Amino acid sequence: MKFNRLVYYCLCVVLAAGLASCGSSSSDKDKNAADFQAAEDSLKQQIEEVVYNIPSPSEIPYLLQATGAEFNESLVNSRTKIDQYASRTDKAALNLGVYAADIGYLTSYDKTQEAIDYLNSCKTLADNLGVIGSFDTEILQKFETNIGNKDSLTHLLDRTIKKTENFLKDDSRNKLSSLVVAGSFIEGLYISTGLIKTYPKNLLPDDHRIAVLTPLMRVVLEQKKSVSELLKMLKTVEQTEPVTSMVADLTALDTAYNALNIEEQIKNNRGDLVLSDKNLEEITKVVEKLRKGITE
């Protein structure tokens, strides 16, 4: 699932059209139409740059499972918090995204019944947001029918969240749609950094430990561009809480990423350098702060 900022684009289109129609002659209108088309094409290009750089709810969990990392149940947000989120639309949107990533994580590790339980809980948040049909009985039945097919389950999850985002955007609630995406991405990054942080310090010799953690580090490092794109996306929506706090924290996270020579680290497979670098601690700390602000 890739996030399409269609509502932001549409608002720009409406504003431009309104300005162009006020007090313009025929020639002015022709010029405005040409300028409008150029602006429209530019916006489309900007949107596409964002769309293809923010992972779907299942993407990061799938990458984590592919590294061979063991499942860590403590990193999943508890379903018991559903009711405290349901009363606030911002919290409902953010944590719908969080739970989507959790479902992706559970599904990737064949925790299918738990994933179904989380899907059922997500209906409460979706209902609070006024989302119709995304977490209905048909979706749950399809999930149960495909219980043995991980690829089908992740496809269903991504499609369900995409349907939720589209519904919110079509209802001109682009801020809430953006928050669903943000919650999902931050949860995926939180699980990734959490797996590294909680890995036992004395279980293996240092060189073996580094060999185990390097694939996990790659998952974290490869999200650098996604962090920048998420920050860019959130700056386009209404700058009120919780967006303003998230923008500030994502700016700090972007700075921490930029302090690392990530491309060179990945190229040379030098996860040991990153693991001994204080910037890793900073990335983890900022991600934990972001996640805490969403889930508590």
Side-chain angles (χ1 to χ4, degrees):
M1 173 199 62
K2 304 298 181 183
F3 181 70
N4 185 332
R5 291 186 293 167
L6 182 58
V7 170
Y8 171 62
Y9 160 69
C10 288
L11 289 174
C12 292
V13 168
V14 171
L15 178 59
L19 292 173
S21 64
C22 294
S24 298
S25 66
S26 178
S27 60
D28 287 338
K29 288 181 179 179
D30 290 341
K31 182 179 183 300
N32 286 333
D35 291 343
F36 173 76
Q37 184 62 49
E40 179 181 339
D41 293 340
S42 176
L43 272 172
K44 285 181 179 179
Q45 183 176 354
Q46 292 176 41
I47 290 168
E48 288 176 2
E49 289 175 1
V50 173
V51 167
Y52 293 105
N53 287 293
I54 300 181
S56 67
S58 66
E59 187 171 334
I60 294 179
Y62 180 84
L63 292 173
L64 294 175
Q65 189 274 333
T67 68
E70 293 185 6
F71 180 80
N72 187 338
E73 186 176 5
S74 68
L75 297 174
V76 177
N77 195 28
S78 173
R79 289 191 299 122
T80 61
K81 298 180 180 179
I82 288 282
D83 289 340
Q84 76 185 56
Y85 303 144
S87 61
R88 293 175 51 191
T89 54
D90 288 353
K91 282 284 188 180
L94 281 165
N95 285 283
L96 185 57
V98 166
Y99 286 129
D102 288 340
I103 293 168
Y105 186 45
L106 291 163
T107 301
S108 294
Y109 283 82
D110 297 316
K111 309 287 184 182
T112 315
Q113 185 54 55
E114 292 94 329
I116 291 172
D117 292 341
Y118 269 75
L119 271 174
N120 275 295
S121 296
C122 282
K123 188 177 187 305
T124 301
L125 299 182
D127 288 347
N128 177 266
L129 294 171
V131 178
I132 300 170
S134 290
F135 291 85
D136 56 16
T137 303
E138 181 183 356
I139 291 295
L140 295 174
Q141 287 176 344
K142 286 182 178 179
F143 212 83
E144 292 175 349
T145 300
N146 291 276
I147 200 166
N149 189 326
K150 188 183 300 184
D151 289 340
S152 294
L153 294 180
T154 55
H155 175 71
L156 277 170
L157 170 63
D158 291 345
R159 191 174 66 186
T160 298
I161 293 299
K162 181 65 175 178
K163 185 176 181 180
T164 300
E165 292 168 14
N166 286 338
F167 179 90
L168 292 173
K169 286 183 293 182
D170 289 344
D171 201 33
S172 297
R173 290 184 285 176
N174 56 319
K175 178 181 176 181
L176 294 179
S177 183
S178 299
L179 292 180
V180 173
V181 176
S184 174
F185 174 73
I186 290 166
E187 181 74 351
L189 197 53
Y190 171 78
I191 293 171
S192 305
T193 54
L195 286 171
I196 296 168
K197 182 179 179 179
T198 60
Y199 193 85
K201 297 291 189 295
N202 301 316
L203 183 64
L204 296 170
D206 286 347
D207 57 340
H208 289 172
R209 185 172 182 274
I210 289 168
V212 170
L213 292 180
T214 294
L216 287 173
M217 278 303 309
R218 287 192 178 208
V219 173
V220 174
L221 296 178
E222 288 167 357
Q223 305 313 312
K224 177 183 182 294
K225 189 169 185 179
S226 295
V227 170
S228 299
E229 296 300 322
L230 181 61
L231 181 57
K232 185 190 301 183
M233 180 187 75
L234 288 177
K235 285 181 177 179
T236 69
V237 301
E238 182 187 6
Q239 296 300 294
T240 56
E241 290 296 344
V243 173
T244 49
S245 294
M246 292 177 66
V247 165
D249 289 336
L250 283 167
T251 300
L253 183 59
D254 195 41
T255 299
Y257 265 100
N258 287 332
L260 297 170
N261 191 355
I262 290 176
E263 289 76 12
E264 192 66 22
Q265 301 284 8
I266 295 175
K267 178 182 176 182
N268 295 328
N269 197 26
R270 291 300 305 277
D272 56 322
L273 294 178
V274 176
L275 290 171
S276 64
D277 196 304
K278 292 298 181 182
N279 278 300
L280 175 64
E281 296 177 6
E282 182 65 18
I283 287 172
T284 302
K285 182 176 74 173
V286 178
V287 170
E288 287 176 344
K289 183 183 178 185
L290 277 161
R291 204 262 195 170
K292 183 177 181 180
I294 292 171
T295 60
E296 294 187 0

